[in-house]
Amino acid sequence: MSRVRRVHQASLGTQLFVLQVVIVFLAVGGTASVWAQLTREQLDSQYQQRALAIAESVAGMPEVREAFGAEDPAKILQPIAAGVQLATGADYVVIANRDQIRYAHPNTSLIGKRLSTDGSHVLISGAAWVGIETGTIGRTVRGKAPVFDEYGMVIGLTSVGVLEEVVDAQLGAALPPLVWTVFAVLLAGSGAAALIAQRVRRQTFGLEPGEIAALLEQREGVLHGVKEGVLALDLTGRVTLVNDAARELLGEVGETLTEMPVSDRMRDVLGGADPGEDRVVLHGERVLVLNRTPVSVRGQHRGWVVTLRDRTELVRLSRELDDASSTTEALRAQAHEFANRMHTVVGLLELGEHEAAIGYITQTTRSTYATGIRSQVGDPTLAALLLAKSAEAAERGATLVLADDTDVPEGRLGDPQDAVLVVGNLVANAIDALEGAAGTIEVSVRADDRGLHVRVGDSGPGITPELVEEVFREGFTTKAAQSGPRGLGLALTRQACLRRGGWVRVHNSDGAVFTALLP
C-alpha cells in the first residue's frame, strides 16, 4: 500500500514515465512470449513430422515386413532399428507386432514386452499418428506408422521419437536474438517514455494534475463571476471562450466571428478593423463599451480578449441629466431676464412714466415665449425642456418654434422620462444639423389616445438618401456617423420608441423631418 501511495504522490512526469515503461514492458514481454510459444509449436511440429517420416520409412522396408513372418522377428528387426536410430539421430526406434509386443527397442531388456504407450489407434485404423507422449526413456515427440503385409493387412507398427530435451535445446539456441531484441525495444521505449514525460511537463508548465484542476476551477469561477462580458478569439477569429455576462449582452454567440449575429460595427470592433479603447457600440437595445486586448503566451501572439460593458442606463441617465442641466440654465436665464424687466418697470414708475410702463408691460407679456409654450404644452417637464432647447437654439443662432397643432394636456404623459428623451434628442439633433447657421426648427408634440406624436423638422441640409434607413442603427461612433448627421441620441430615441411599441422615422422636406410615436 505504501508503494502505491508513493506512486500516486509522484509527479505527473514520473507517473507517465512509469506507466509507459510498464506498458512497453508488457507489450514486449507479451510479444516475446507469443513468439516463443509459436516457435516451440513449430519445432514440435517439425520434429513430429520428422519422426513420422522415419517411422513410415522403416514400416515400408521389405525386410521389416518379411521379418514379421520369421521364427524370431526380434533377431532381424533389432539390428535394423538400431541402424536407423544411429543413422537418423532419433532417440529411439521401436517395432512392435499387432499385439503391441516389442520386436525392437533401444533397451534390449524391454524386447518381448508390451508397449508402454497405447498404439491401438494405429493398429485398428491403419493411419499414422504424431504427438507427444511419455515413455520408458522420457517425454518425447514421436510419430507412429502401421506396418502392412503383402495383402494390405496391418501386422504391426513402428514408433520413432525424439526427446523434448532436444527440442528445448534448439529453442534455447533461438532465444538469444529474441532477448537482445526485447532489451533493445525496452531501452528505446524507456527513452521515448522519458521524452514524452519531459514534453508533457513542459506543456503543463510543471503543474501537477491537482494544480491544473484547481486552476481550471478558479478560472471558471472568476470568468463566470465577473459582471463584465468576456469574449476570447483565436488568430482565426474562432470564439474560444465566452462567459455568462457576454452571452447575456450579445445573445446568441456563433462559433466564429463571421457567424455571430451582430452588426457590421460590432464585427469591426471585435475583429480589430476599428481599433481603440472604450469603443461604443449599439447592440439591439443596449449601448455597449468594448475593449479589445491582444493575448500572448510565452512571447507568442495567441489571440484577443474582448471585454464588454453595458452602459445603456448610464448613457440614458447622462443625457437626461444634460437635458435637466439645460433646462436649469434656461430657467436661470429667464429668471435673470425677468428681474431686468421688473427693474425697468420699477424705474419707469418712479420716473412717473406710467403710460410707458403700461406699454412696456403689455409688449413684454405678448412676447413672452415661455407663456406660449406653457399654453400648448401642459406637462411642466416637457415644457421646461422645450424652453431650454429654445434658449440653446437662440444661443447658436437658430429659432425654435412650436407648430400650431402642438397640444399636450397636463397629466397625459404619465412618466415623462421617455418623452423628454425622445423630444430632447430629436431637437438636439436638429440644432446640430444647422451647424451654427441661422435657421428654423419646428417642433410639434401632440398627445392623443394612441400616444405622444412628435415631429421635429429643421431647415438644414437634410439626410442623404443612403443614410435614411441606417441613421438610427449604428450610433454616433460608426464610420457613417462620422460623415453624416447621426448620433447616439438617435439610437437611444429609437430604443425608447421600440421599447414602448412605437416607431421613429425620418424623411427630407426642405431639411430633415423626424417623426416618432411614443405610445
Side-chain angles (χ1 to χ4, degrees):
M1 291 297 293
S2 60
R3 292 182 179 179
V4 174
R5 188 178 297 107
R6 284 197 296 270
V7 170
H8 285 297
Q9 293 176 350
S11 65
L12 176 61
T14 302
Q15 293 184 42
L16 286 175
F17 175 77
V18 172
L19 289 175
Q20 290 179 89
V21 169
V22 170
I23 292 173
V24 171
F25 179 80
L26 292 176
V28 174
T31 303
S33 299
V34 172
W35 182 90
Q37 181 66 26
L38 291 176
T39 302
R40 177 56 186 263
E41 292 177 357
Q42 289 177 356
L43 290 174
D44 285 342
S45 178
Q46 290 174 5
Y47 275 94
Q48 288 172 5
Q49 296 302 320
R50 177 183 175 187
L52 179 60
I54 297 172
E56 289 178 338
S57 298
V58 173
M61 296 173 64
E63 54 266 41
V64 171
R65 184 185 311 115
E66 294 173 356
F68 272 82
E71 183 178 352
D72 189 3
K75 290 183 178 181
I76 302 173
L77 295 177
Q78 176 64 19
I80 296 175
V84 172
Q85 179 180 342
L86 180 64
T88 59
D91 289 305
Y92 77 87
V93 176
V94 174
I95 302 175
N97 63 12
R98 187 172 180 82
D99 296 326
Q100 302 189 49
I101 301 300
R102 299 186 183 96
Y103 288 158
H105 193 278
N107 186 353
T108 56
S109 62
L110 297 178
I111 296 175
K113 295 182 179 180
R114 189 178 177 84
L115 294 173
S116 60
T117 59
D118 186 19
S120 59
H121 50 282
V122 176
L123 295 171
I124 295 174
S125 64
W129 177 90
V130 293
I132 300 175
E133 291 181 334
T134 301
T136 56
I137 66 172
R139 190 169 179 80
T140 58
V141 176
R142 60 184 65 183
K144 299 178 181 180
V147 179
F148 298 95
D149 62 8
E150 57 185 356
Y151 301 106
M153 300 296 294
V154 177
I155 58 176
L157 63 84
T158 60
S159 177
V160 178
V162 178
L163 288 171
E164 279 209 317
E165 296 174 357
V166 177
V167 182
D168 292 339
Q170 188 168 352
L171 178 63
L175 286 180
L178 175 63
V179 173
W180 284 111
T181 302
V182 169
F183 179 76
V185 172
L186 285 175
L187 186 62
S190 300
L195 292 176
I196 293 174
Q198 185 178 4
R199 178 177 176 81
V200 170
R201 189 179 293 110
R202 285 199 308 268
Q203 291 180 336
T204 58
F205 300 96
L207 296 175
E208 298 304 319
E211 296 173 327
I212 295 174
L215 286 177
L216 179 61
E217 292 175 354
Q218 293 174 5
R219 191 202 73 162
E220 292 296 318
V222 171
L223 180 66
H224 296 289
V226 174
K227 292 185 178 180
E228 291 186 351
V230 178
L231 187 74
L233 302 168
D234 63 11
L235 298 176
T236 63
R238 185 171 60 91
V239 178
T240 59
L241 183 147
V242 57
N243 69 348
D244 296 337
R247 292 186 183 277
E248 182 179 354
L249 294 175
L250 296 177
E252 182 182 355
V253 179
E255 294 183 358
T256 62
L257 184 59
T258 56
E259 295 177 359
M260 294 180 64
V262 296
S263 64
D264 293 338
R265 163 68 177 164
M266 174 75 77
R267 193 170 285 109
D268 285 345
V269 176
L270 292 176
D274 184 10
E277 297 181 353
D278 294 333
R279 311 304 292 172
V280 179
V281 179
L282 299 180
H283 181 70
E285 296 186 0
R286 299 180 185 271
V287 179
L288 304 180
V289 178
L290 276 64
N291 280 287
R292 185 171 183 268
T293 306
V295 176
S296 298
V297 178
R298 287 179 286 187
Q300 295 184 351
H301 181 49
R302 296 295 187 183
W304 294 269
V305 171
V306 182
T307 58
L308 305 94
R309 290 171 290 166
D310 189 0
R311 290 293 181 266
T312 305
E313 293 301 321
L314 181 60
V315 171
R316 187 190 306 276
L317 293 175
S318 175
R319 295 191 69 85
E320 290 179 359
L321 179 60
D322 290 342
D323 292 338
S325 299
S326 300
T327 303
T328 302
E329 292 298 325
L331 291 175
R332 286 180 181 178
Q334 290 291 330
H336 186 270
E337 183 180 357
F338 182 74
N340 290 334
R341 291 175 180 176
M342 290 300 297
H343 291 158
T344 303
V345 172
V346 171
L348 290 174
L349 291 175
E350 289 181 352
L351 294 175
E353 298 291 340
H354 300 97
E355 295 294 334
I358 293 172
Y360 179 75
I361 291 173
T362 302
Q363 180 181 2
T364 300
T365 302
R366 291 177 179 174
S367 63
T368 301
Y369 185 64
T371 303
I373 292 177
R374 195 67 174 88
S375 64
Q376 293 178 279
V377 181
D379 184 83
T381 304
L382 187 57
L385 173 66
L386 291 172
L387 180 60
K389 291 301 181 183
S390 175
E392 181 183 353
E395 290 178 0
R396 297 177 62 173
T399 302
L400 188 147
V401 297
L402 286 181
D404 295 337
D405 61 349
T406 298
D407 181 19
V408 183
E410 187 173 359
R412 287 296 298 271
L413 292 182
D415 186 358
Q417 289 187 1
D418 285 339
V420 170
L421 175 66
V422 171
V423 175
N425 285 334
L426 292 181
V427 173
N429 183 74
I431 294 175
D432 292 337
L434 295 178
E435 297 181 349
T440 302
I441 300 169
E442 184 181 48
V443 179
S444 170
V445 284
R446 179 172 51 87
D448 58 17
D449 293 338
R450 294 180 58 196
L452 183 68
H453 299 263
V454 181
R455 185 180 72 252
V456 178
D458 62 71
S459 58
I463 303 295
T464 54
E466 61 270 18
L467 295 180
V468 169
E469 297 298 329
E470 300 287 330
V471 69
F472 300 102
R473 183 163 34 179
E474 297 292 343
F476 74 94
T477 51
T478 61
K479 298 176 181 179
Q482 297 173 2
S483 60
R486 57 194 294 196
L488 183 60
L490 295 179
L492 294 176
T493 297
R494 183 173 183 267
Q495 289 179 8
C497 293
L498 293 178
R499 187 173 59 253
R500 301 255 303 247
W503 47 263
V504 59
R505 301 164 185 162
V506 61
H507 66 276
N508 288 320
S509 178
D510 298 330
V513 179
F514 288 83
T515 55
L517 172 63
L518 190 66

